[in-house]
Each structure stands twice: as structure tokens, then as C-alpha cells.
Amino acid sequence: MTMDRKRRIAIVAGGYSSEYPVSLRSAESIRNFLDSALYDPLVVIMERGSWRAELPDGTTVPVDRNDFSITVKGEKIDFDLAYITIHGTPGENGLLQGYFDMLGIPYSCCGVFAAALTFNKYACNHYLASFGINISPSLLIRRGDKVTPQEVADKVTYPCFVKPNDGGSSFGTTKVKTPGEFLPALEKALAEGEEAVAEKFMPGTEVTCGCYKAGGRSVAFPITEVVSHKEFFDYEAKYNGAVEEITPARIPDALARRIQQTTLRIYDLIGCRGIIRADYIIIGEEPYLLEVNTTPGMTATSFIPQQAKAMGVPMRDILTEIIEDAIKNNPSRKQDAKN
């Protein structure tokens, strides 16, 4: 790859949800992963009232939302690519992807439809179920719906998980064991979003598998087995070490290959780009999809960096491949070329 300057990368972090601090940690890891010989990265922090870029000297400058540029010492600076690492709105639900599409700026992850679909856990899982992907029985609950604990018992059964339909990092998620625990759990879930899901609890082995496609290659990472020391894989387990993560997972090779192939198939069915991660629960010899994450965490304790390490490939090389592929195959620029 020959360039007359380093590519300017905006690592877009922050966002408008409870996952804000996790996003900032992911952004710092991505900045450290990027090849400094090829890229000049700046973290762009998005908050409701402020979009700002952090400069190397620690100061910040506002981002011009008209064209996603910054001005430093009188010089206007444009970005070659946005690496989206917002977990939650507006970076994980398609809003930011649509903004970048309109500006013609390449970005690291999937497009508007795939982002919007996967952000809605219920819609995504039932869409994939129509293609034969195993999912857990679940019930969608919108704000204002009059759902009774007995209705959950009839349609889902107890114990079950009650969680936001449009959130992540297990914020607002409760394991509900009895009908009396349902309504408080629903209130907690709806505090994080407009919809909630009651999903049947299925005991088994929890695993997660990352994958990406770039440069004509399909890459499925080694599978990680998740053994939580909490009652379930909640926020504390995910980010504060209350979990044992084993890569590769202690499952038969044939089952591991099947899960990897299922993850790559999901990638195509949704129309993903960049890195995704799919979480499963294995019951007997059968994997059941829990959810798909199209902007997976990249912190030091996150799964994707662990899986890349187990595969023996530096994250630096993986991110270079994804960035260059995204720039080369930017859909907005292809459309401009047709016009």
C-alpha cells in the first residue's frame, strides 16, 4: 500500500447510552492497535450536546457536523475513515451509518439496515430463525403493553431473562426466577430503552465467536467459552473480571467448526461488514443463538482481541485489513462513480 501521507482515522466513541464508558475504553484500545506507520488516528467523542476530537496534546476541537471535519490552527482536516466503536445509540443502531453514507465517508462496520436489525435483538433473532438458526423462545414487550407475569409464564416460562431489546453490555438485564420478580425487572429494562424482551433461560455452555470478511477472505476466530462467576454474564462479569474466558472453547472440534460456519452464514444473511461477534448457548450438541453484535467491544478484556491472540494474528493486521477493505469498497463512492 503506497500513500503520500498517513490515512486519517476518526475513532468514533461515546454515544448516548449507558455504554458510554465502555465505548471510550474500546476507542483507546483501537488507537493502540492501529499501525502507526499507516494511520493517524484521533478519537472523536460524541455526546448529545457535543462532538469533539481529541488532539495529541490533550486539547479538543469541535467536529463540524456538516461534513465531519475539524479545523486545527486554521487548517481544515477531513477523515479518510470513521472507525465506529460506539456501543449503543447512535453508532450501533444505524443512525451514524446513515450520516456517514450521506457524506460519502467510509466506516468500519456494517451499514444502516444490518445495524438497525441487529440492534433490535427480537427482530434480528426471529429474522435469522426464518433461515433455520436456533433461537430461544421470547416475548417482545413495548412500553405501554399490559403484559402480566402469567402471560410470560405461559409464553416463555420461568426462569427467564428480561432485558432491553435495544441495549447492550447487559445493562438493564435481570434473571427472573418467579412471577413476582417480573414487573420490577421489566421496569428496569424499559429504563434503558423503549422495548424489552422476555427470553427463556436455557442452561448450557455459553460461547461466543467473532468473524470478519475483507479482501476476499472469510475469517472465523477461535471460539471462546464463557464461564461466569455471577449468576449470569452481566456487566460486572463482562468488564470487571467476574468471569472465566477460555479460548479455544472446551467443545468438540466438529461443533466448534459448525458454530464458526453458522457465524459466517449469519454475517452474510444480515449483510455485515467489518468485525461481528455472535453469542450462543450450547444445549447438548445444539447451539442456540443469543444475539449478534456488529460493533463488539475492543477493550483489553474483550473477546475479539482474545480470539485474535489465540489465532496468532495481531489485531494491528486485522484492523489494517478491515480499514483498507472499507475504503476500497465504500458503497457511497461506488454510487458516486455510477452517477
Side-chain angles (χ1 to χ4, degrees):
M1 180 176 59
T2 302
M3 296 182 294
D4 57 359
R5 63 166 176 80
K6 296 180 183 180
R7 295 200 193 277
R8 299 189 184 102
I9 307 297
I11 305 173
V12 186
Y16 312 154
S17 75
S18 299
E19 296 182 88
Y20 179 97
V22 179
S23 173
L24 296 186
R25 289 163 60 184
S26 286
E28 184 61 28
S29 294
I30 290 168
R31 180 165 56 184
N32 292 333
F33 289 141
L34 288 180
D35 190 334
S36 60
L38 301 177
Y39 304 117
D40 184 10
L42 291 179
V43 174
V44 172
I45 299 175
M46 290 188 174
E47 298 173 348
R48 289 194 184 275
S50 167
W51 291 13
R52 62 190 186 276
E54 293 185 335
L55 301 180
D57 64 3
T59 62
T60 63
V61 295
V63 173
D64 186 341
R65 301 189 193 193
N66 292 300
D67 59 5
F68 198 68
S69 67
I70 59 175
T71 301
V72 180
K73 297 179 180 179
E75 178 187 358
K76 180 179 177 180
I77 297 174
D78 297 310
F79 292 100
D80 296 295
L81 176 131
Y83 197 106
I84 300 174
T85 188
I86 290 178
H87 312 309
T89 187
E92 198 171 4
N93 56 2
L95 298 182
L96 200 53
Q97 287 84 348
Y99 167 77
F100 286 130
D101 281 341
M102 293 178 69
L103 293 177
I105 297 174
Y107 49 90
S108 58
C109 55
C110 63
V112 174
F113 172 75
L117 177 62
T118 55
F119 195 65
N120 187 311
K121 298 180 179 67
Y122 183 89
C124 182
N125 282 14
H126 283 77
Y127 167 77
L128 292 170
S130 70
F131 293 96
I133 305 296
N134 295 324
I135 65 170
S136 173
S138 61
L139 176 66
L140 177 65
I141 307 166
R142 293 186 171 92
R143 188 180 298 279
D145 287 352
K146 304 301 181 182
V147 178
T148 66
Q150 185 58 49
E151 187 175 354
V152 175
D154 294 340
K155 295 184 177 180
V156 179
T157 72
Y158 294 99
C160 66
F161 287 108
V162 176
K163 58 187 179 181
N165 190 38
D166 50 359
S169 293
S170 297
F171 284 110
T173 298
T174 305
K175 184 177 180 181
V176 177
K177 300 177 182 177
T178 66
E181 298 173 351
F182 168 69
L183 291 178
L186 178 60
E187 182 179 355
K188 181 180 177 182
L190 289 175
E192 291 288 331
E194 293 300 312
E195 298 179 340
V197 174
E199 184 176 80
K200 182 179 179 180
F201 167 71
M202 298 190 298
T205 301
E206 188 167 350
V207 299
T208 185
C209 178
C211 78
Y212 72 95
K213 296 189 177 186
R217 297 196 315 132
S218 298
V219 179
F221 292 114
I223 294 169
T224 299
E225 179 182 347
V226 182
V227 183
S228 177
H229 300 313
K230 305 284 287 184
E231 188 159 16
F232 67 97
F233 192 42
D234 62 6
Y235 180 87
E236 183 178 349
K238 286 183 177 180
Y239 300 109
N240 295 328
V243 66
E244 186 178 2
E245 298 166 0
I246 304 164
T247 309
R250 299 169 298 182
I251 60 176
D253 290 345
L255 180 57
R257 287 192 297 271
R258 181 180 169 194
I259 291 171
Q260 288 174 318
Q261 290 303 312
T262 298
T263 305
L264 289 168
R265 182 170 178 241
I266 287 171
Y267 191 103
D268 290 337
L269 289 171
I270 294 172
C272 293
R273 299 199 303 269
I275 300 174
I276 74 161
R277 196 191 76 233
D279 302 337
Y280 304 86
I281 192 84
I282 301 172
I283 302 174
E285 294 295 317
E286 202 66 33
Y288 286 75
L289 177 69
L290 297 176
E291 65 178 81
V292 180
N293 189 327
T294 55
T295 55
M298 289 291 203
T299 71
T301 59
S302 295
F303 293 118
I304 296 298
Q306 293 183 45
Q307 293 175 0
K309 182 178 180 181
M311 193 169 62
V313 179
M315 281 301 303
R316 177 196 64 222
D317 296 349
I318 293 170
L319 295 187
T320 297
E321 190 174 6
I322 288 169
I323 288 171
E324 295 306 315
D325 187 77
I327 292 173
K328 178 182 178 182
N329 296 298
N330 178 18
S332 299
R333 291 183 178 175
K334 287 185 176 181
Q335 188 63 39
D336 289 343
K338 291 180 181 179
N339 299 333

